[in-house]
PDB file of all heavy atoms in Angstrom:
ATOM      1  N   ARG A 136       9.733  28.774   6.525  1.00 58.00           N
ATOM      2  CA  ARG A 136       9.235  28.970   5.173  1.00 58.00           C
ATOM      3  C   ARG A 136       8.371  27.782   4.756  1.00 58.00           C
ATOM      4  O   ARG A 136       8.689  26.622   5.043  1.00 58.00           O
ATOM      5  CB  ARG A 136      10.430  29.101   4.219  1.00 58.00           C
ATOM      6  CG  ARG A 136      10.058  29.389   2.777  1.00 58.00           C
ATOM      7  CD  ARG A 136      11.320  29.395   1.929  1.00 58.00           C
ATOM      8  NE  ARG A 136      11.024  29.693   0.563  1.00 58.00           N
ATOM      9  CZ  ARG A 136      10.981  30.903   0.061  1.00 58.00           C
ATOM     10  NH1 ARG A 136      11.222  31.936   0.854  1.00 58.00           N
ATOM     11  NH2 ARG A 136      10.712  31.114  -1.207  1.00 58.00           N
ATOM     12  N   ALA A 137       7.247  28.041   4.072  1.00 68.00           N
ATOM     13  CA  ALA A 137       6.372  26.969   3.605  1.00 68.00           C
ATOM     14  C   ALA A 137       7.099  26.137   2.562  1.00 68.00           C
ATOM     15  O   ALA A 137       7.858  26.658   1.749  1.00 68.00           O
ATOM     16  CB  ALA A 137       5.086  27.554   3.022  1.00 68.00           C
ATOM     17  N   SER A 138       6.863  24.825   2.572  1.00 73.00           N
ATOM     18  CA  SER A 138       7.511  23.950   1.604  1.00 73.00           C
ATOM     19  C   SER A 138       6.981  24.247   0.203  1.00 73.00           C
ATOM     20  O   SER A 138       5.887  24.804   0.020  1.00 73.00           O
ATOM     21  CB  SER A 138       7.244  22.491   1.950  1.00 73.00           C
ATOM     22  OG  SER A 138       5.865  22.185   1.771  1.00 73.00           O
ATOM     23  N   GLU A 139       7.769  23.851  -0.794  1.00 80.00           N
ATOM     24  CA  GLU A 139       7.372  24.090  -2.182  1.00 80.00           C
ATOM     25  C   GLU A 139       6.067  23.377  -2.508  1.00 80.00           C
ATOM     26  O   GLU A 139       5.224  23.903  -3.239  1.00 80.00           O
ATOM     27  CB  GLU A 139       8.487  23.601  -3.114  1.00 80.00           C
ATOM     28  CG  GLU A 139       8.234  23.926  -4.585  1.00 80.00           C
ATOM     29  CD  GLU A 139       9.395  23.513  -5.468  1.00 80.00           C
ATOM     30  OE1 GLU A 139      10.415  23.042  -4.932  1.00 80.00           O
ATOM     31  OE2 GLU A 139       9.267  23.656  -6.694  1.00 80.00           O
ATOM     32  N   ASN A 140       5.873  22.204  -1.940  1.00 82.00           N
ATOM     33  CA  ASN A 140       4.645  21.458  -2.189  1.00 82.00           C
ATOM     34  C   ASN A 140       3.433  22.194  -1.636  1.00 82.00           C
ATOM     35  O   ASN A 140       2.384  22.284  -2.286  1.00 82.00           O
ATOM     36  CB  ASN A 140       4.753  20.070  -1.547  1.00 82.00           C
ATOM     37  CG  ASN A 140       3.507  19.245  -1.750  1.00 82.00           C
ATOM     38  OD1 ASN A 140       3.021  19.095  -2.864  1.00 82.00           O
ATOM     39  ND2 ASN A 140       2.988  18.690  -0.666  1.00 82.00           N
ATOM     40  N   ARG A 141       3.577  22.776  -0.439  1.00 83.00           N
ATOM     41  CA  ARG A 141       2.443  23.494   0.158  1.00 83.00           C
ATOM     42  C   ARG A 141       2.156  24.793  -0.599  1.00 83.00           C
ATOM     43  O   ARG A 141       1.007  25.187  -0.785  1.00 83.00           O
ATOM     44  CB  ARG A 141       2.758  23.797   1.633  1.00 83.00           C
ATOM     45  CG  ARG A 141       1.581  24.430   2.349  1.00 83.00           C
ATOM     46  CD  ARG A 141       1.619  24.152   3.832  1.00 83.00           C
ATOM     47  NE  ARG A 141       0.534  24.866   4.470  1.00 83.00           N
ATOM     48  CZ  ARG A 141       0.674  25.925   5.244  1.00 83.00           C
ATOM     49  NH1 ARG A 141       1.876  26.386   5.498  1.00 83.00           N
ATOM     50  NH2 ARG A 141      -0.355  26.510   5.792  1.00 83.00           N
ATOM     51  N   VAL A 142       3.214  25.469  -1.039  1.00 86.00           N
ATOM     52  CA  VAL A 142       3.012  26.678  -1.840  1.00 86.00           C
ATOM     53  C   VAL A 142       2.285  26.335  -3.130  1.00 86.00           C
ATOM     54  O   VAL A 142       1.358  27.042  -3.561  1.00 86.00           O
ATOM     55  CB  VAL A 142       4.371  27.340  -2.141  1.00 86.00           C
ATOM     56  CG1 VAL A 142       4.196  28.476  -3.144  1.00 86.00           C
ATOM     57  CG2 VAL A 142       5.005  27.866  -0.858  1.00 86.00           C
ATOM     58  N   GLN A 143       2.672  25.225  -3.750  1.00 88.00           N
ATOM     59  CA  GLN A 143       2.027  24.802  -4.994  1.00 88.00           C
ATOM     60  C   GLN A 143       0.542  24.516  -4.772  1.00 88.00           C
ATOM     61  O   GLN A 143      -0.310  24.943  -5.575  1.00 88.00           O
ATOM     62  CB  GLN A 143       2.726  23.549  -5.522  1.00 88.00           C
ATOM     63  CG  GLN A 143       2.162  23.025  -6.832  1.00 88.00           C
ATOM     64  CD  GLN A 143       2.800  21.702  -7.223  1.00 88.00           C
ATOM     65  OE1 GLN A 143       3.368  20.996  -6.388  1.00 88.00           O
ATOM     66  NE2 GLN A 143       2.710  21.351  -8.500  1.00 88.00           N
ATOM     67  N   ARG A 144       0.214  23.824  -3.705  1.00 88.00           N
ATOM     68  CA  ARG A 144      -1.188  23.523  -3.418  1.00 88.00           C
ATOM     69  C   ARG A 144      -1.973  24.798  -3.126  1.00 88.00           C
ATOM     70  O   ARG A 144      -3.127  24.938  -3.560  1.00 88.00           O
ATOM     71  CB  ARG A 144      -1.278  22.579  -2.212  1.00 88.00           C
ATOM     72  CG  ARG A 144      -0.741  21.191  -2.489  1.00 88.00           C
ATOM     73  CD  ARG A 144      -0.718  20.347  -1.213  1.00 88.00           C
ATOM     74  NE  ARG A 144      -0.157  19.033  -1.460  1.00 88.00           N
ATOM     75  CZ  ARG A 144      -0.837  17.995  -1.914  1.00 88.00           C
ATOM     76  NH1 ARG A 144      -2.131  18.143  -2.159  1.00 88.00           N
ATOM     77  NH2 ARG A 144      -0.257  16.841  -2.117  1.00 88.00           N
ATOM     78  N   HIS A 145      -1.354  25.716  -2.396  1.00 88.00           N
ATOM     79  CA  HIS A 145      -2.041  26.968  -2.078  1.00 88.00           C
ATOM     80  C   HIS A 145      -2.338  27.767  -3.350  1.00 88.00           C
ATOM     81  O   HIS A 145      -3.469  28.267  -3.522  1.00 88.00           O
ATOM     82  CB  HIS A 145      -1.184  27.801  -1.134  1.00 88.00           C
ATOM     83  CG  HIS A 145      -1.671  29.210  -0.950  1.00 88.00           C
ATOM     84  ND1 HIS A 145      -2.774  29.532  -0.202  1.00 88.00           N
ATOM     85  CD2 HIS A 145      -1.187  30.392  -1.450  1.00 88.00           C
ATOM     86  CE1 HIS A 145      -2.967  30.836  -0.231  1.00 88.00           C
ATOM     87  NE2 HIS A 145      -2.017  31.374  -0.979  1.00 88.00           N
ATOM     88  N   ASP A 146      -1.347  27.895  -4.237  1.00 90.00           N
ATOM     89  CA  ASP A 146      -1.562  28.654  -5.469  1.00 90.00           C
ATOM     90  C   ASP A 146      -2.629  28.006  -6.338  1.00 90.00           C
ATOM     91  O   ASP A 146      -3.474  28.698  -6.938  1.00 90.00           O
ATOM     92  CB  ASP A 146      -0.249  28.761  -6.252  1.00 90.00           C
ATOM     93  CG  ASP A 146       0.743  29.700  -5.576  1.00 90.00           C
ATOM     94  OD1 ASP A 146       0.328  30.455  -4.677  1.00 90.00           O
ATOM     95  OD2 ASP A 146       1.938  29.673  -5.937  1.00 90.00           O
ATOM     96  N   ALA A 147      -2.614  26.679  -6.431  1.00 91.00           N
ATOM     97  CA  ALA A 147      -3.623  25.990  -7.235  1.00 91.00           C
ATOM     98  C   ALA A 147      -5.011  26.165  -6.631  1.00 91.00           C
ATOM     99  O   ALA A 147      -5.994  26.434  -7.352  1.00 91.00           O
ATOM    100  CB  ALA A 147      -3.270  24.505  -7.341  1.00 91.00           C
ATOM    101  N   ARG A 148      -5.124  26.044  -5.305  1.00 89.00           N
ATOM    102  CA  ARG A 148      -6.427  26.184  -4.658  1.00 89.00           C
ATOM    103  C   ARG A 148      -6.951  27.615  -4.802  1.00 89.00           C
ATOM    104  O   ARG A 148      -8.162  27.829  -5.002  1.00 89.00           O
ATOM    105  CB  ARG A 148      -6.303  25.791  -3.187  1.00 89.00           C
ATOM    106  CG  ARG A 148      -7.630  25.780  -2.443  1.00 89.00           C
ATOM    107  CD  ARG A 148      -7.544  24.979  -1.159  1.00 89.00           C
ATOM    108  NE  ARG A 148      -6.534  25.500  -0.252  1.00 89.00           N
ATOM    109  CZ  ARG A 148      -5.389  24.896   0.017  1.00 89.00           C
ATOM    110  NH1 ARG A 148      -5.077  23.763  -0.573  1.00 89.00           N
ATOM    111  NH2 ARG A 148      -4.533  25.423   0.880  1.00 89.00           N
ATOM    112  N   THR A 149      -6.055  28.592  -4.704  1.00 89.00           N
ATOM    113  CA  THR A 149      -6.477  29.990  -4.868  1.00 89.00           C
ATOM    114  C   THR A 149      -7.044  30.224  -6.255  1.00 89.00           C
ATOM    115  O   THR A 149      -8.084  30.884  -6.417  1.00 89.00           O
ATOM    116  CB  THR A 149      -5.278  30.919  -4.624  1.00 89.00           C
ATOM    117  OG1 THR A 149      -4.790  30.733  -3.288  1.00 89.00           O
ATOM    118  CG2 THR A 149      -5.683  32.370  -4.805  1.00 89.00           C
TER     119      THR A 149
END
Side-chain angles (χ1 to χ4, degrees):
R136 183 184 181 89
S138 67
E139 186 176 356
N140 179 51
R141 185 154 176 252
V142 172
Q143 181 186 20
R144 292 174 182 275
H145 169 74
D146 289 346
R148 185 162 59 251
T149 299

